[in-house]
């Protein structure tokens, strides 16, 4: 678990699919597809990188900066490792005993004002705005929907926390568990092979609803494939 500097921010939200904020220009209906969007289909659309960041990120403090943030119509994406974020509400698996770096706050908060629950909510961490990249200028905010891919699986998640401005590649306990990655905040995670696709200008409300993220994520994934 990397030591992280938490940047507090105002939480954003949108809705379940019916009331979700979809990317601008995405009003046209998407052709029907049979079955859910596959990990392979999404990965096929992010094989090449049109870099939008002003440099590259480190996956951990002290490692070389090798990870660019890339852009396509309707999304930004990067390929990195996964460290485990267990911050937020104190739970059986996320607390100071299980995680020496535990913080009882997350940058974005639930609709009731409480920090997010990293054990139960699939969410990802984005770097704090800096010279490499400012996520807000790419229409990425708290509650934006992400498709996180590893080992042939997709876990839809929200942007839920903010980390150091020079480091990338972190997601919640629940995200890791959903992908079959060891979610232990001290010894878990994986060193490579994780793709993070964040759908721009999208939000879910309430931010703490995994079902809302999954419904909207599937729809945005379809739109992303149709537009690219």
């Amino acid at each position: 678990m990397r030591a992280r500097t938490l940047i507090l921010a105002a939480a954003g939200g949108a809705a379940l699919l019916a009331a979700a904020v979809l990317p601008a220009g995405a009003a046209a209906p998407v052709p029907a597809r049979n079955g859910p969007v596959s990990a392979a289909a999404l990965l096929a659309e992010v094989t090449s990188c049109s870099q939008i960041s002003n440099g590259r990120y480190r996956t951990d403090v002290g490692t070389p900066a090798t990870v660019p943030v890339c852009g396509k119509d309707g999304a930004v994406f990067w390929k990195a490792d996964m460290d485990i974020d267990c911050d937020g509400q104190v739970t059986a698996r996320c607390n100071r005993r299980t995680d020496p770096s535990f913080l009882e706050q997350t940058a974005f908060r639930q609709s009731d004002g409480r920090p997010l629950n990293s054990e139960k909510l699939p969410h990802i961490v984005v770097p704090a705005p800096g010279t490499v990249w400012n996520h807000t200028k790419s229409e990425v905010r708290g509650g934006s929907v992400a498709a996180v891919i590893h080992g042939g699986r997709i876990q839809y998640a929200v942007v839920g926390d903010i980390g150091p401005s020079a480091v990338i590649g972190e997601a919640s306990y629940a995200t890791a568990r959903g992908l079959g990655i060891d979610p232990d905040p001290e010894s878990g995670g994986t060193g490579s092979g994780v793709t993070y696709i964040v759908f721009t200008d999208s939000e879910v409300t309430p931010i703490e609803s995994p079902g809302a993220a999954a419904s909207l994520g599937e729809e945005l994934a379809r739109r992303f494939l149709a537009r690219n």
Side-chain angles (χ1 to χ4, degrees), residues 29-118:
V30 178
R33 295 169 55 98
N34 293 324
V37 173
S38 70
L42 285 175
L43 290 175
E45 291 296 338
V46 295
T47 54
S48 61
C49 175
S50 177
Q51 184 169 329
I52 63 169
S53 56
N54 296 319
R56 300 190 175 207
Y57 284 100
R58 306 174 189 277
T59 56
D60 291 289
V61 175
T63 63
T66 60
V67 180
V69 176
C70 313
K72 292 199 82 168
D73 189 4
V76 297
F77 64 93
W78 56 91
K79 301 178 182 183
D81 65 342
M82 182 182 287
D83 292 320
I84 307 302
D85 183 7
C86 227
D87 294 339
Q89 295 181 34
V90 176
T91 68
R93 294 177 175 84
C94 291
N95 53 65
R96 288 191 178 88
R97 178 180 55 80
T98 62
D99 180 3
S101 300
F102 179 77
L103 296 171
E104 293 186 19
Q105 300 182 73
T106 51
F108 305 104
R109 291 175 172 264
Q110 294 185 164
S111 55
D112 62 3
R114 300 173 66 198
L116 301 182
N117 184 326
S118 292

Side-chain angles (χ1 to χ4, degrees), residues 2 7 9-10 21 35-36 43 58 73 75 104 123 134 144 149-150:
R2 71 168 67 107
I7 309 296
V21 178
L43 290 175
R58 306 174 189 277
D73 189 4
E104 293 186 19
H123 70 76
N134 183 338
S144 289
I149 305 170
H150 175 77

Side-chain angles (χ1 to χ4, degrees), residues 152-191:
R153 298 185 186 182
I154 302 174
Q155 175 64 63
Y156 291 108
V158 295
V159 173
D161 210 350
I162 294 177
S165 61
V167 179
I168 205 166
E170 187 171 6
S172 69
Y173 184 105
T175 305
R177 182 176 55 197
L179 292 170
I181 295 171
D182 181 357
D184 186 280
E186 187 171 13
S187 61
T190 185

